[in-house]
Amino acid sequence: LEARLQLMEAQIEPHFLFNSLANVQRLYETEPESGARLLENLKTYLRAALPQMRETRSTLGREAELSRAYLEVLRARMGERLQFEVDVPEALREQTFPPMMVITLVENAIKHGIEPAPAGGTVTLSARHDGDSVVVSVSDTGRGFAADPTSAGQGVGLSNVRERLAALYGSRGRFTLESLM
């Protein structure tokens, strides 16, 4: 089970890294202050992400901060097209949570919701108690499923999330994908 989980986690590859480095280079040539800001945000993200990629346990607070750092990197690249909100109550920040799962959902929201939308949009990460369960939600105001409803939720990242939840929590772990439109 551990080997299977590690294989699934290894398949989760942040697609933004090379794009971010190319943007740092471009910004340093055209807007040095923006390039420096993007580089700082990228360093913050990598400091948080690299050690966590090898961890077998994390907390919801660490995952939220990793997602915030990632979103800051992307906002430096996308500008006003990307807005975001992270709402994880203090009471849930120490809750044990699978590493790199939230960032996978955030990446998916960017890749399939915000980036293809000409006006961009907002990504919201939130968490709450629901009885004895913890509900974590990642939503976006991007283009929605209308563009390709048949392939919604069928990618590698979301398949990995489903499989990891099943492996870690059995029937208690659930993943749902809903259209907000």
Side-chain angles (χ1 to χ4, degrees), residues 13-24:
E13 179 181 336
H15 301 285
F16 76 100
L17 183 58
F18 290 112
N19 286 340
S20 294
L21 291 173
N23 278 313
V24 166

Side-chain angles (χ1 to χ4, degrees), residues 26-99:
R26 179 186 57 78
L27 283 173
Y28 264 112
E29 292 169 359
T30 59
E31 301 172 45
E33 287 181 25
S34 296
R37 204 168 35 255
L38 176 55
L39 186 58
E40 282 304 312
N41 287 325
L42 185 58
K43 286 179 358 187
T44 300
Y45 170 78
L46 291 173
R47 264 190 226 106
L50 292 177
Q52 254 176 260
M53 288 179 183
R54 289 181 174 47
E55 294 291 325
T56 57
R57 295 175 51 116
S58 185
T59 64
L60 191 49
R62 275 188 273 177
E63 295 303 306
E65 290 314 307
L66 176 64
S67 296
R68 180 187 305 279
Y70 170 78
L71 289 163
E72 287 290 353
V73 168
L74 287 182
R75 184 165 36 196
R77 183 174 58 133
M78 296 175 68
E80 292 301 313
R81 291 187 59 237
L82 174 61
Q83 302 300 314
F84 66 87
E85 179 181 345
V86 177
D87 180 19
V88 177
E90 198 60 42
L92 291 176
R93 290 193 162 269
E94 292 304 314
Q95 176 73 41
T96 301
F97 205 82

Side-chain angles (χ1 to χ4, degrees), residues 18 26 32 50 70 80 100 103 105 114 150 152 171 176 179:
F18 290 112
R26 179 186 57 78
L50 292 177
Y70 170 78
E80 292 301 313
M100 306 305 291
I103 194 73
L105 299 174
I114 304 300
T150 58
S171 63
T176 58
S179 176

Side-chain angles (χ1 to χ4, degrees), residues 130-147:
D130 184 9
D132 60 351
S133 296
V134 173
V135 177
V136 176
S137 173
V138 176
S139 62
D140 69 79
T141 61
R143 79 176 177 171
F145 299 143

